[in-house]
Amino acid sequence: MIDLSETRVKIDEIDSKIISLFNERMKLADDVANYKIATGKPVYDAVREKEKLLVIEGFGEDDFGKTALRELFTQIMSISRKYQYRKIADVSKTSSSVTSYSADNIGFFGGSGTYTERAMKDFFGNDTKAKSFDSFKKVCEAVGNGSIEYGVLPIENSTTGSISDIYDLLMEYEIHIIGEAIEPIDHALLGLPSANLVDITEVYSHPQPLLQCSNFLTKYPDWNTFAYGSTSKSALKVKNDGKINQAAIASKANAEFYGLKVLAENIANDTLNATRFIVIGKGGNYLENADKISISFEIPHKTGSLYSILSNFIYNNINMTNIESRPIPKRRWQYRFFVDFDGNLNDAGVINAITGLKAEADSFTLLGNYVGADKK
């Protein structure tokens, strides 16, 4: 029988040696960093790391040992890079010349009485005048070509998750996120003033509200649901068609605006249902008190790439709040990642993390640094 206490003593002795050697290795990493600062060489040397990992892997006694050694030294080299990034940190500090955002030339998705309009007014002020657009793409096109200065779009719902189209459009039109707003969603079923629930056979709304109210809709299996351009357009259709069997899922504000009757209220699956909206613009100026950052990056299509890239957040003690992936056009089974995290572009940890991300990713895009709606 093995004496467990003796074995643990031996393990502790080995761990002590590993720690000593690790500290010695990090001192050498400091020498490497100083050399790279002097010569201007990049921290990340993909060819050397690949060659070194192949050699190290060869010391494994079996398949498990080979994999374990590769994983261990991949992590060690990753830590070494983060230390070097901390010293080099080649990301310039951002000018924070903007103290607030205001404009008369604003666009938003949907129409009067929509949640997007409410988010726009919460961000820019209740007296703000703006142009409505009937698609996400048209809002982004208008910002991209300069016909409007800012646009407001929904990007994420607390019940149904992200609206993936928005992420693709951000990259297509090279626009920035300059702010966000979070709005509670109070979906209601709206019909003609003379209608009652028993009269309804058709329900219209944007695809998102239809999903967000699925539990309510399943109670009425004979109803037919139809995806429509927006909640406000759905309400307008019910009004214009004048058919007692039609209803729309929209806000109670739409009922008042279009002279409709609230047939049922608070019909969302989640009583805490809320949607996050982003404010987009063309420029790259950021508020001095910005505390949330959005980025996009692409990475090599190989084992461990995502793990390695995300370690830049871990070793710089950065809180990542969201990650999404979208297929890269014309590159089958390869993905572009979108990440939100806490921080300001002038924070030392953020500078270090972005330095590492830019060095290791195939491509990197800063989408914005803005004040998070949950911090206001």
Side-chain angles (χ1 to χ4, degrees), residues 168-329:
D168 296 335
L169 291 168
L170 286 173
M171 299 301 294
E172 182 179 350
Y173 291 97
E174 298 181 353
I175 46 187
H176 289 75
I177 302 172
I178 61 102
E180 68 175 10
I182 295 176
E183 297 293 332
I185 304 300
D186 51 352
H187 289 314
L189 187 72
L190 313 182
L192 294 176
S194 59
N196 293 297
L197 274 176
V198 293
D199 301 314
I200 303 305
T201 61
E202 297 178 1
V203 177
Y204 296 82
S205 195
H206 186 270
Q208 282 290 317
L210 291 175
L211 288 171
Q212 294 162 22
C213 300
S214 58
N215 292 346
F216 172 79
L217 292 171
T218 56
K219 296 177 183 178
Y220 302 92
D222 294 332
W223 289 0
N224 294 311
T225 58
F226 300 91
Y228 217 61
S230 68
T231 53
S232 62
K233 281 194 170 184
S234 300
L236 180 60
K237 175 179 174 59
V238 171
K239 175 188 177 181
N240 289 342
D241 287 358
K243 296 180 179 179
I244 199 170
N245 68 312
Q246 290 184 352
I249 293 177
S251 69
K252 287 189 287 185
N254 279 140
E256 183 177 348
F257 190 84
Y258 293 110
L260 299 176
K261 178 181 178 181
V262 177
L263 303 177
E265 56 184 306
N266 299 321
I267 63 174
N269 298 350
D270 185 353
T271 56
L272 297 178
N273 189 25
T275 294
R276 181 166 70 97
F277 296 84
I278 55 172
V279 183
I280 57 174
K282 190 68 176 173
N285 292 321
Y286 309 111
L287 295 176
E288 186 176 356
N289 63 335
D291 55 19
K292 187 172 184 179
I293 298 172
S294 293
I295 62 171
S296 175
F297 58 80
E298 298 172 18
I299 53 178
H301 187 54
K302 63 182 183 180
T303 302
S305 290
L306 183 59
Y307 172 83
S308 177
I309 206 85
L310 293 182
S311 68
N312 286 285
F313 298 102
I314 297 170
Y315 293 114
N316 287 292
N317 197 31
I318 291 174
N319 180 40
M320 188 172 65
T321 59
N322 187 44
I323 182 169
E324 302 284 343
S325 64
R326 294 291 300 147
I328 301 174

Side-chain angles (χ1 to χ4, degrees), residues 69-140:
L69 281 173
R70 185 178 188 88
E71 183 177 338
L72 173 63
F73 277 85
T74 295
Q75 187 69 354
I76 289 174
M77 286 189 284
S78 176
I79 294 169
S80 178
R81 287 200 305 274
K82 305 309 174 292
Y83 176 77
Q84 293 176 59
Y85 292 142
R86 186 176 296 276
K87 295 203 67 175
I88 295 175
D90 61 0
V91 177
S92 300
K93 289 197 171 186
T94 303
S95 172
S96 301
S97 57
V98 177
T99 57
S100 64
Y101 293 107
S102 62
D104 295 323
N105 199 12
I106 301 169
F108 66 97
F109 166 72
S112 297
T114 58
Y115 299 107
T116 314
E117 183 189 47
R118 191 165 74 188
M120 182 266 297
K121 290 187 174 183
D122 281 350
F123 190 87
F124 289 104
N126 286 328
D127 296 329
T128 301
K129 304 297 182 183
K131 180 181 179 181
S132 63
F133 293 83
D134 60 9
S135 73
F136 301 151
K137 186 178 180 71
K138 287 180 181 178
V139 175
C140 293

Side-chain angles (χ1 to χ4, degrees), residues 149-164:
E149 191 171 357
Y150 301 116
V152 183
L153 296 166
I155 193 169
E156 181 183 10
N157 179 262
S158 60
T159 302
T160 56
S162 64
I163 302 172
S164 57

